[in-house]
């Protein structure tokens, strides 16, 4: 608008000069100005039709303070260069109250593609959404502009830092009878209700395990290997019921960041101590209780990745009851609950309360007995 | 160029941004930038030299300009150019010191050349320059060019400051146009290319795409300029065929005056028109500055309005009153009143002393003496101050002395000069006068004054009359409204039709209310609002005497608009002579209130009109603002909608202490606002929590759900609000 106004003033001045001075060239200049104005309109319109913008990030998951590349591809299909393109990139953290943006001018040569490369460094964990809210293609003098629509959006999950906590698995937990419906697909066990595999009879195998029917069919002794039930004696419940006032801007950043750090560290600590466990949460969107079995490191990260999609909810939800109703396994030697007040509760007793700004310090070297 | 609005906890680092310095330069870019800079520089120098031929040795000057341009380019290409520039300025300063006298002389010569061009008003004037002076001029000129080129260099190459480029180029063009010269075409073209390059975002380190854009812009500019010259100009010239008329109109129009005229006037409607030097109906409207025009001082408090004659018109042309030389009138006055003073003294045993009146001219036109009636000028007058012996008419009437009869010669002169009128142009007025034959002067005077009062209304905003209409006839029979000049003109013509010598007078009136006691004297500061026009008739026993034909004015009466100030005066000066209050009482009796009411009515209509227009404008503004805010509200996301919703609920009575993030908020809200269920509030809150802490993108249906609920809540809350809050809700806060 500013450019148009300046141009309008220039035209007025030319008109004034054309009237007041005995010089026909002023009229020629006026003609030039009017032609240029029209010409620039069509140029902007033409350029707009040839520009496409694409947003990309090849790293959907990253750690905190790790550079995550975000690329904006601007392609110009036409021969003429697009010298003035305005782009606004908007980014937003799930737990933030506001969004940030970067507005910049760029230019793309004719029939070329330009890549704008950004590195994103995140201080807090969570999901970060990137989108392009505004693209405007201008003519060379910035008199006219046309917007381009771009609905592309990318999401990058920033994982929480995992701190080393010392988990100690008690004898009680270790020998806790597991009553699971699932069986280990890789190991055989002693549960006769489920056959893991059949194989040739070897010396030392008991006759009770001989599969007589199959032996008769194959004319050789075949032995049954029973399945090993998979079960956990420890349950970690993540209670995302949010009941605190957001006192100032950025508070939720810290709070949720600390929450996920504690959850990840506890789960990782249990895993390293050889304590298989379930991590469960309430998914408000589906109304179900989701869970993740954690035995290996990869499963910890899978759990975190899934959990980062979760939404804190305002309504109070009895997570343990919900879990028991949905998954039936009611018997656990230890039930750990982590709530958004950053309290870690073990079997109904608060064993640790983390301040949101010093959670990482407290987590390092924390002794957790299950 | 990047504009950032950062989010805490996230940092975005642009990887493809070039490091600051000169690593991004290309020869292509450097060449293009330099070309633009050179175009601007040579264009300016060319335009200047063409308009102001300060030197005949143009070749040397252009070579010098080229050297300057190359100098700046080289400085630019060297890293840390500021340091180099400063370093090179040192020897330059030494050279300047060495040539100081020559440069000084050169400046004077250039200045003289420019002055000659200015004084020749756009005519081509040849300037002869001595061979010795040529060198001095060249040095001075190149020095100026060097400094000026620095500004252009900075704006085009260093920082790409568009405003500075336009300013540096535009100042030259404006200067040339201001002295009536037209800049040479090729120079303007060069400047234009420089500007185009600058506006297209040219810089040395611009991306290749942008540089190509600049080049294309310049090429397109060149082509379009040729097209404009060859094809567009013939078409546009038809639009400018009446340009001479427009040019004359522009030259004759004062923008300030037009602006002043466009402003609403809140002037005193009882004030009469300004002194127009006999011109009739030439102004669109009468304006007053409020400045003191005259200062009148008398020994005694005047008993009646003092009329101070300025312009005296004798011949009526239909558009103006022309004056005639009338020196005898002055001689008679001096002759009579010098004797009269003595006579009066003898008659009244020296009890009656004529007044002394000093008239000091402040802002009134210096063309006229402002002389009261029945007065004799004193010798101690200067250019600004005139002193008179002044005789109140009431005193002279009491003496009952017909002293004028002796001046037969003047009577003949008066009959010859003050009885003519254009009969053929005034058929209706003449017919009217003939329909009412009257004999005595008093009857005629009464008939004219009352007749004019009935025929026309006093109005200062009457505007110009049509050119093809006769002024008086149009005033009396068509427009039927006018101010003192109109009434006075009509009165004079009517007196002449009845055979009474009459003339048209413009001057100032000083009502008694304007006089204030100060240091034993009575002083009146007469502002330009007291400028007035009236008729004068001549009788053999009374000489020239004013006749007030303008409604609302009458001889001896105070002005209607001044009464308030007079009352204040009476209250504050209890020691004022008894005559004052008598004069006031008499004045009030004489005032004709009808035109006052008419004028006041007209003024009220204007005021009401303005009020209605203002109100309408205000309503339009409020409506547009409302529309704008509502449009913005439509674009809001779930969080922002909830923010507004919360404010609406608070306006509906929700206490501020309630935290919307508490679990029991839906229940609390449902209890408070019974027209909405708890479940609905809970759904809203869940949506808000998701928007706040969950997935970034909300579905269209969810946003619609939120918006529908917002509208529903607004509707319900609005209905329950008291009157004033409803207005705030809809028009100040614009929630709904």
């Amino acid at each position: 608008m500013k450019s148009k106004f300046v141009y309008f003033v220039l035209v007025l001045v030319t008109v004034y000069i054309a009237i007041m001075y005995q010089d026909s060239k002023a009229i020629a200049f006026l003609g030039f100005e009017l032609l240029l104005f029209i010409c620039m309109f069509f140029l902007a319109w033409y350029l707009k039709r040839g520009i496409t913008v694409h947003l990309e990030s090849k790293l959907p998951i990253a750690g905190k303070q790790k550079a995550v590349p975000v690329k904006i591809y601007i392609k110009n299909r036409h021969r003429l260069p697009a010298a003035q393109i305005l782009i606004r990139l908007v980014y937003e953290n799930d737990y933030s109250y506001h969004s940030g943006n970067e507005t910049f001018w760029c230019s793309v040569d004719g029939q070329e593609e330009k890549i704008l490369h950004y590195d994103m460094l995140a201080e807090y964990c969570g999901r970060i959404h990137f989108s392009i809210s505004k693209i405007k293609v201008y003519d060379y003098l910035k008199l006219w502009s046309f917007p381009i629509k771009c609905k592309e959006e990318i999401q990058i999950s920033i994982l929480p830092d995992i701190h080393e906590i010392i988990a100690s698995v008690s004898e009680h937990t270790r020998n806790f009878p597991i009553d699971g419906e699932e069986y280990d697909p890789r190991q055989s066990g002693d549960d006769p209700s489920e056959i893991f595999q059949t194989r040739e009879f070897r010396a030392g195998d008991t006759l009770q395990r001989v599969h007589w029917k199959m032996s008769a069919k194959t004319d050789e002794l075949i032995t049954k290997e029973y399945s090993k039930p998979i079960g956990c004696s420890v349950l970690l419940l993540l209670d995302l019921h949010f009941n605190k006032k957001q006192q100032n801007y950025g508070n939720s950043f810290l709070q949720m960041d600390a929450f996920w750090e504690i959850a990840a560290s506890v789960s990782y600590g249990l895993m390293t101590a050889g304590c298989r466990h379930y991590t469960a949460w309430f998914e408000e969107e589906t109304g179900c209780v989701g869970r993740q079995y954690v035995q290996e490191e990869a499963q910890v990260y899978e759990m975190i990745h899934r959990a980062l999609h979760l939404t804190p909810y305002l309504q109070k939800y009895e997570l343990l009851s919900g879990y028991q109703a949905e998954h039936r396994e009611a018997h656990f030697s230890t039930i750990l609950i982590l709530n958004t007040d950053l309290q870690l509760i073990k079997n109904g007793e608060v064993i640790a309360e983390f301040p949101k700004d010093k959670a990482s310090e407290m987590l390092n070297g924390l002794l957790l007995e299950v | 160029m990047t504009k950032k609005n950062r989010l805490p906890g996230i940092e975005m680092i642009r990887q493809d941004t070039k490091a600051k310095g000169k690593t991004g330069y290309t020869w292509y870019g450097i060449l293009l930038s330099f070309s633009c800079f050179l175009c601007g520089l040579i264009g300016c120098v060319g335009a200047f030299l063409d308009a102001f031929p300060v030197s005949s040795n143009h070749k040397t000057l252009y070579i010098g300009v080229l050297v300057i341009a190359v100098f700046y380019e080289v400085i630019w290409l060297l890293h840390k150019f500021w340091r180099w520039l400063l370093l090179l300025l040192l020897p330059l300063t030494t050279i300047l010191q060495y040539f100081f006298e020559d440069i000084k002389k050169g400046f004077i010569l250039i200045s003289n050349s420019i002055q000659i061009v200015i004084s020749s008003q756009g005519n081509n004037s040849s300037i002869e320059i001595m061979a010795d002076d040529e060198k001095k001029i060249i040095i001075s000129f190149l020095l100026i060019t060097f400094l000026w080129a620095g500004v252009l260099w900075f704006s085009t190459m260093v920082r790409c400051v568009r405003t500075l480029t336009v300013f540096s180029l535009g100042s030259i063009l404006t200067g040339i146009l201001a002295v009536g010269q037209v800049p040479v075409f090729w120079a303007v073209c060069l400047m234009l290319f420089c500007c185009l390059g600058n506006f297209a975002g040219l810089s040395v380190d611009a991306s290749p795409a942008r540089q190509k854009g600049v080049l294309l812009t310049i090429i397109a500019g060149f082509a379009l300029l040729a097209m404009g010259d060859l094809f567009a100009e013939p078409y546009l010239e038809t639009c400018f065929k009446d340009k001479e008329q427009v040019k004359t109109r522009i030259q004759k129009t004062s923008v300030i005056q037009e602006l002043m005229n466009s402003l609403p006037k809140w002037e005193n409607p009882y004030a009469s028109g300004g002194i127009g030097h006999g011109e009739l109906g030439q102004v669109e409207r009468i304006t007053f500055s409020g400045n003191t025009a005259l200062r009148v001082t008398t020994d005694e408090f005047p008993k009646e309005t003092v009329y101070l004659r300025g312009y005296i018109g004798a011949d009526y042309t239909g558009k103006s009153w022309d004056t005639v030389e009338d020196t005898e009138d002055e001689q008679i006055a001096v002759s009579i009143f010098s004797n009269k003073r003595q006579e009066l003294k003898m008659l009244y045993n020296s009890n009656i002393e004529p007044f002394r009146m000093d008239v000091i001219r402040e802002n009134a036109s210096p063309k006229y003496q402002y002389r009261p009636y029945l007065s004799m000028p004193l010798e101690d007058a200067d250019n600004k101050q005139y002193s008179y012996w002044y005789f109140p008419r009431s005193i002279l009437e009491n003496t009952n002395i017909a002293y004028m009869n002796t001046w037969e010669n003047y009577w003949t002169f008066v009959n010859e000069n003050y009885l003519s009128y254009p009969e053929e142009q005034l058929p209706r007025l003449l017919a009217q006068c003939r329909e009412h034959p009257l004999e005595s002067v008093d009857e005629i005077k009464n008939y004219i004054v009352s007749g004019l009062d009935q025929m026309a209304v006093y109005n200062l905003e009457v505007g110009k009359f049509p050119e093809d209409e006769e002024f008086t006839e149009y005033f009396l029979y068509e427009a039927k409204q006018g101010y003192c000049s109109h009434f006075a003109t009509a009165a004079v013509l009517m007196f002449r039709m009845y055979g009474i010598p009459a003339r048209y007078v413009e001057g100032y009136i000083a009502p008694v209310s304007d006089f204030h006691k100060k240091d034993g004297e009575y002083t009146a500061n007469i502002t330009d609002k007291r400028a007035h026009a009236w008729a004068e008739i001549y009788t053999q026993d009374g000489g020239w005497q004013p006749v007030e034909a303008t409604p609302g004015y009458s001889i001896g009466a105070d002005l209607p608009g001044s009464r308030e100030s007079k009352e204040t005066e009476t209250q504050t000066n209890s020691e004022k002579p008894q005559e004052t209050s008598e004069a006031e009482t008499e004045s009030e009796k004489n005032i004709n209130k009808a035109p006052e009411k008419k004028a006041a009515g007209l003024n009220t209509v204007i005021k009401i009109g303005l009020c209605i227009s203002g109100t309408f404008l205000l309503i339009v503004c409020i409506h547009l603002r409302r529309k704008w805010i509502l449009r913005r509200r439509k674009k809001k996301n779930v969080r922002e909608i909830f923010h507004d919703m919360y404010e609406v609920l608070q306006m509906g009575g929700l206490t501020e202490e309630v935290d919307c993030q508490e679990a029991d908020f839906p229940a609390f809200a449902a209890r408070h606002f019974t027209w909405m269920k708890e479940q609905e509030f809970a759904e809203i809150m869940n949506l808000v929590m998701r928007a706040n802490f969950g997935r970034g993108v909300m579905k269209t249906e969810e946003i619609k759900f939120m918006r529908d609920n917002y509208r529903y809540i607004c509707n319900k809350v609005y209905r329950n609000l008291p009157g004033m809050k409803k207005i705030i809700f809809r028009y100040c806060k614009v929630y709904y």
Side-chain angles (χ1 to χ4, degrees), chain A residues 79-94:
Chain A
R79 285 182 182 278
L80 289 178
Q84 313 271 8
I85 304 172
L86 179 77
I87 297 177
R88 181 175 291 158
L89 176 71
V90 178
Y91 51 91
E92 187 179 24
N93 188 312
D94 270 356

Side-chain angles (χ1 to χ4, degrees), chain A residues 21-22 94 103 107 123 314, chain B residues 3 9 177 207 244 661 692:
Chain A
Y21 292 85
Q22 296 293 342
D94 270 356
T103 308
S107 53
E123 201 178 328
L314 192 71
Chain B
K3 203 171 157 186
L177 290 168
S207 64
E244 283 305 320
Q661 293 187 354
N692 270 343

Side-chain angles (χ1 to χ4, degrees), chain A residues 18 21-22 92 94 98 100-101 103-105 107 109 116-117 119 121 123 153 244-245 249 285 314, chain B residues 1-3 5 7-9 11 13-15 177 207 210 212 243-244 639 659 661 692 694-695 697:
Chain A
Y21 292 85
Q22 296 293 342
E92 187 179 24
D94 270 356
H98 298 279
N101 65 62
T103 308
F104 50 87
W105 290 91
S107 53
D109 218 337
L116 296 173
H117 187 165
D119 274 349
L121 295 172
E123 201 178 328
E153 187 187 313
K244 281 283 178 188
K245 245 186 213 179
Y249 176 72
E285 201 176 349
L314 192 71
Chain B
M1 193 172 108
T2 306
K3 203 171 157 186
N5 177 20
L7 187 68
E11 192 180 358
I13 303 159
R14 178 101 177 251
Q15 292 299 314
L177 290 168
S207 64
R210 189 161 291 180
K212 279 183 192 170
K243 81 172 197 178
E244 283 305 320
R639 287 183 306 203
D659 180 12
Q661 293 187 354
N692 270 343
R695 300 181 189 286
V697 181

Side-chain angles (χ1 to χ4, degrees), chain B residues 97-132:
Chain B
Q97 203 174 0
Y98 181 74
F99 288 110
F100 183 73
E101 284 305 316
D102 286 352
I103 290 166
K104 200 171 140 188
K105 185 82 187 297
F107 278 144
I108 293 164
L109 288 166
I110 291 171
S111 169
N112 288 342
S113 304
I114 293 169
Q115 278 178 5
I116 288 165
V117 174
I118 293 168
S119 59
S120 67
Q121 291 292 321
N123 298 322
N124 290 327
S125 53
S126 57
I127 302 157
E128 288 182 11
I129 301 161
M130 304 289 285
D132 289 348

Side-chain angles (χ1 to χ4, degrees), chain A residues 34-80:
Chain A
L34 297 175
L35 285 172
L36 188 70
F37 198 63
I38 297 162
C39 190
M40 287 298 150
F41 173 82
F42 286 108
L43 180 73
W45 177 75
Y46 170 78
L47 291 172
K48 173 245 174 184
R49 288 165 60 86
I51 300 291
T52 48
V53 180
H54 168 61
L55 190 64
E56 186 187 273
S57 175
K58 287 183 177 170
L59 198 60
I61 301 169
K64 287 203 275 187
Q65 296 293 355
K66 296 277 179 349
V68 182
V70 176
K71 289 178 182 175
I72 303 165
Y73 294 83
I74 307 152
K75 191 174 182 181
N76 181 8
R77 285 183 279 113
H78 290 156
R79 285 182 182 278
L80 289 178

Side-chain angles (χ1 to χ4, degrees), chain A residues 318-331:
Chain A
E318 282 300 327
L319 189 55
L320 183 60
S321 309
Y323 180 87
Q324 285 169 344
E326 208 159 321
H327 296 285
R328 292 185 194 173
E329 296 119 348
H331 304 293

Side-chain angles (χ1 to χ4, degrees), chain B residues 248-496:
Chain B
T248 317
R249 181 78 190 271
I250 290 169
Q251 284 171 337
K252 286 184 176 175
T253 306
S254 163
V255 178
I256 296 166
Q257 192 60 46
E258 288 296 315
L259 284 172
M260 293 286 285
N261 289 345
S262 67
L263 293 172
K265 296 284 183 295
W266 297 96
E267 302 297 343
N268 181 1
Y270 310 110
S272 51
I275 288 188
H277 313 294
E279 298 288 329
L280 295 172
Q282 298 298 309
V283 287
E284 197 66 50
R285 64 196 301 176
I286 305 295
T287 54
F288 303 108
S289 66
N291 294 330
T292 303
L294 297 172
R295 197 184 306 139
V296 179
T297 309
T298 63
D299 294 337
E300 291 187 42
F301 193 80
K303 293 182 177 66
E304 60 194 19
T305 301
V306 178
Y307 280 72
L308 300 162
R309 287 186 290 183
Y311 180 84
I312 296 170
D315 289 337
Y316 177 71
T317 64
K319 301 287 176 195
S320 63
W321 284 98
D322 294 343
T323 188
V324 291
E325 200 176 343
D326 190 357
T327 51
E328 211 167 345
D329 182 23
E330 178 74 22
Q331 290 167 12
I332 293 165
V334 173
S335 169
I336 289 173
F337 292 113
S338 55
N339 296 326
K340 192 69 192 168
R341 185 181 166 225
Q342 299 303 322
E343 283 178 25
L344 284 170
K345 277 191 172 182
M346 285 172 70
L347 192 68
Y348 288 92
N349 298 322
S350 305
N351 288 333
I352 297 171
E353 181 69 24
F355 300 150
R356 180 193 167 94
M357 181 176 283
D358 294 325
V359 179
I360 302 154
R361 186 169 51 77
E362 296 283 343
N363 292 307
S365 173
K367 287 182 181 175
Y368 317 109
Q369 284 186 25
Y370 298 93
R371 183 175 164 185
Y373 284 89
L374 304 172
S375 65
M376 185 185 79
L378 295 175
E379 288 174 359
D380 55 348
D382 60 23
N383 191 30
K384 250 191 133 179
Q385 180 173 340
Y386 299 92
S387 299
Y388 304 96
W389 284 113
Y390 165 61
F391 297 83
R393 186 169 291 276
S394 55
I395 294 168
L396 280 175
E397 280 167 0
N398 291 338
T399 59
N400 198 22
I401 299 163
Y403 54 93
M404 295 279 187
N405 290 333
T406 51
W407 298 90
E408 287 295 334
N409 290 340
Y410 187 64
W411 173 243
T412 313
F413 175 80
V414 164
N415 280 325
E416 283 172 1
N417 289 284
Y418 300 117
L419 275 173
S420 63
Y421 58 90
E423 281 185 34
E424 61 283 357
Q425 290 176 26
L426 302 160
R428 281 184 280 184
L429 187 62
L430 191 61
Q432 187 182 337
C433 291
R434 282 177 182 166
E435 279 173 16
H436 296 87
L438 296 164
E439 289 297 325
S440 72
V441 175
D442 287 340
E443 277 179 353
I444 293 165
K445 195 196 291 184
N446 287 337
Y447 169 69
I448 290 170
V449 171
S450 59
L452 288 175
D453 187 15
Q454 286 167 8
M455 288 169 78
V457 178
Y458 182 87
N459 183 10
L460 269 176
E461 308 289 325
V462 70
K464 279 185 183 176
F465 284 176
E467 291 282 328
D468 53 340
E469 295 282 353
E470 205 290 323
F471 177 80
T472 312
E473 291 258 310
Y474 187 80
F475 158 61
L476 288 173
Y477 302 107
E478 304 295 333
K480 294 181 180 176
Q481 52 183 342
Y483 46 85
C484 55
S485 299
H486 302 73
F487 284 98
T489 300
V492 170
L493 292 170
M494 286 175 84
F495 275 119
R496 289 183 181 185

Side-chain angles (χ1 to χ4, degrees), chain B residues 540-600:
Chain B
Q540 276 187 297
D541 55 348
W544 286 111
Q545 50 190 288
V547 176
E548 188 56 83
T550 307
Y553 294 80
S554 59
I555 307 295
D558 202 351
L559 293 177
S562 317
R563 202 172 305 127
E564 193 181 332
S565 60
K566 191 162 78 177
E567 282 166 4
T568 316
E569 172 77 10
T570 313
Q571 285 166 8
T572 50
N573 296 317
S574 56
E575 74 278 7
K576 195 163 277 184
Q578 185 66 31
E579 288 85 354
T580 311
S581 57
E582 285 171 8
E584 283 171 19
T585 318
E586 197 177 339
S587 303
E588 284 172 8
K589 284 176 188 171
N590 291 336
I591 292 162
N592 185 351
K593 290 188 178 175
E596 179 186 344
K597 282 178 185 170
K598 284 176 193 172

